[in-house]
Amino acid sequence: METNPAPSFLELDHPKKSPCGGNCGDCAKAARSTTSSKSQPNVAQLSGKQSAHRGFRRFQFLTGILLVLSSGAGTYLLATDASLWLLAFSHAVGLMIIVALDLVLGLYSLSSSKSAYLPSVAAAFLGFILQLGDVFTAPQYNMTILYFAHYLFGLWAFDLILGLQLTIILVGVAGRPHARYLSRRKTRRGREFDYSRRSFMKALVGLAGLIGVGVVVGSIKLPAPASSTTPTSTNTQTGAAQGSVANVNELQISSPVYFEYPAGYPNALIKNTDGSLTAVSMLCTHVCCECSFDSASKVFYCPCHGSVFDISGKVVRGPASADLPTIQLRVDGSGNVFPTGINNPGPCQV
Ligand code: FES
């Protein structure tokens, strides 16, 4: 069965029934006159224009569907992955802007607006680069790039967004001959639409600026409200000796004292019912969100994906699969407790 292939610029500007195949001098003249003469377009030109419009509309429809799907996958990620909000708020804001852009441009593309073409490809290009770039922000969250990449690529919605954005870029590239042809046509109001490298760069810079502002705003740290479960710093117990975390004689059974060891890494020291001491890292071994201690049920709870650890740091409920790292302690003759090392360090780098 014969198909109707996408017209190339050359095909569109030449009479289709020319016996010479468009290579003779007459045809060349006819092609030149297509853009220069003020005469009415002939049948071949009209059909070329219609064909280009039809082809372009098909690419735009596909782009629109893919953008709306990408927006849906982003919304799912924002709605289901609390670590985005609690651990990387600026990323959540960036993703929110990408989701909104995808939706607007998707609907715009579905309405067959030609002006959506370049911004859609630019948005997909930016989204793809930024999503991949996320992997390299791992050290900011105390993880290795490899570990964070393993987590991110394990999220189907993240993979789907990447795949959709890559497909939108490819569809955009495939639609270029139509776009180029239409952009060269003049209407009474000027060119049919603006298609140039400059316009693409302008769209790219504009969208990058918009996302950048969102990420910067999302990075602004607001003062945290005071909370009984929020770890503070070393020496949280009043009157503890210099360099110590607490004095064992002052500790209440099952009532944690929070300290940092090393600086910036939150831990909890707990006196057990038998008088022994346990100190565990508060950073969840799943994706390094900070846990909080639930004094009613005596467990550490991770707010990001709901992992639960018992008072000694053992996993009670996943998705975390490794126990919380424990802190080695030394108690001097006066009962002062000093952290001296870390056992079984997890994925959260120290
Ligand atoms: S970071 Fe995912 S459960 Fe803790």
Side-chain angles (χ1 to χ4, degrees), residues 21-276:
N23 293 325
C24 69
D26 287 346
C27 284
K29 238 188 259 168
R32 277 198 298 276
S33 71
T34 302
T35 50
S36 61
S37 85
K38 292 193 170 89
S39 62
Q40 291 299 308
N42 61 32
V43 175
Q45 286 166 342
L46 271 179
S47 78
K49 185 183 169 192
Q50 282 162 358
S51 171
H53 269 296
R54 218 178 304 125
F56 191 68
R57 264 201 298 274
R58 270 202 295 267
F59 280 110
Q60 277 213 291
F61 181 75
L62 187 54
T63 301
I65 296 283
L66 294 170
L67 279 167
V68 171
L69 284 176
S70 174
S71 173
T75 305
Y76 173 83
L77 212 51
L78 284 167
T80 57
D81 196 338
S83 64
L84 263 171
W85 301 98
L86 298 169
L87 192 67
F89 184 68
S90 59
H91 291 222
V93 175
L95 184 56
M96 257 184 353
I97 296 174
I98 290 174
V99 162
L101 282 174
D102 282 354
L103 185 62
V104 170
L105 289 169
L107 296 176
Y108 212 27
S109 295
L110 287 175
S111 74
S112 296
S113 169
K114 293 189 200 72
S115 53
Y117 173 72
L118 286 181
S120 297
V121 180
F125 180 75
L126 261 183
F128 186 74
I129 297 291
L130 290 175
Q131 299 277 109
L132 275 188
D134 262 4
V135 170
F136 298 98
T137 61
Q140 204 181 328
Y141 308 110
N142 306 316
M143 280 172 276
T144 62
I145 289 174
L146 211 62
Y147 187 83
F148 196 37
H150 179 257
Y151 167 70
L152 284 179
F153 289 117
L155 300 172
W156 67 263
F158 181 85
D159 298 338
L160 181 62
I161 295 172
L162 275 183
L164 288 168
Q165 284 165 344
L166 184 61
T167 312
I168 293 165
I169 297 168
L170 296 176
V171 168
V173 170
R176 275 180 68 199
H178 297 295
R180 203 179 291 139
Y181 172 73
L182 291 175
S183 74
R184 286 176 186 171
R185 294 193 63 84
K186 295 226 173 94
T187 64
R188 259 175 286 149
R189 283 177 296 161
R191 292 195 179 279
E192 267 205 57
F193 86 111
D194 192 11
Y195 172 81
S196 64
R197 193 169 298 162
R198 197 152 169 255
S199 313
F200 178 74
M201 291 310 292
K202 261 168 47 185
L204 199 63
V205 170
L207 293 174
L210 188 65
I211 297 170
V213 168
V215 170
V216 169
V217 169
S219 308
I220 296 170
K221 291 226 178 331
L222 298 173
S227 157
S228 60
T229 56
T230 303
T232 52
S233 58
T234 51
N235 266 349
T236 48
Q237 192 184 58
T238 317
Q242 183 64 33
S244 73
V245 171
N247 188 289
V248 73
N249 302 314
E250 308 291 328
L251 286 171
Q252 309 286 314
I253 301 286
S254 301
S255 175
V257 164
Y258 300 105
F259 65 100
E260 291 183 358
Y261 180 80
Y265 288 81
N267 306 284
L269 172 67
I270 294 172
K271 189 177 187 177
N272 300 308
T273 42
D274 62 358
S276 63

Side-chain angles (χ1 to χ4, degrees), residues 284 286-289 302 304-307 319:
C284 176
H286 182 221
V287 206
C288 303
C289 284
C302 177
C304 283
H305 309 106
S307 287

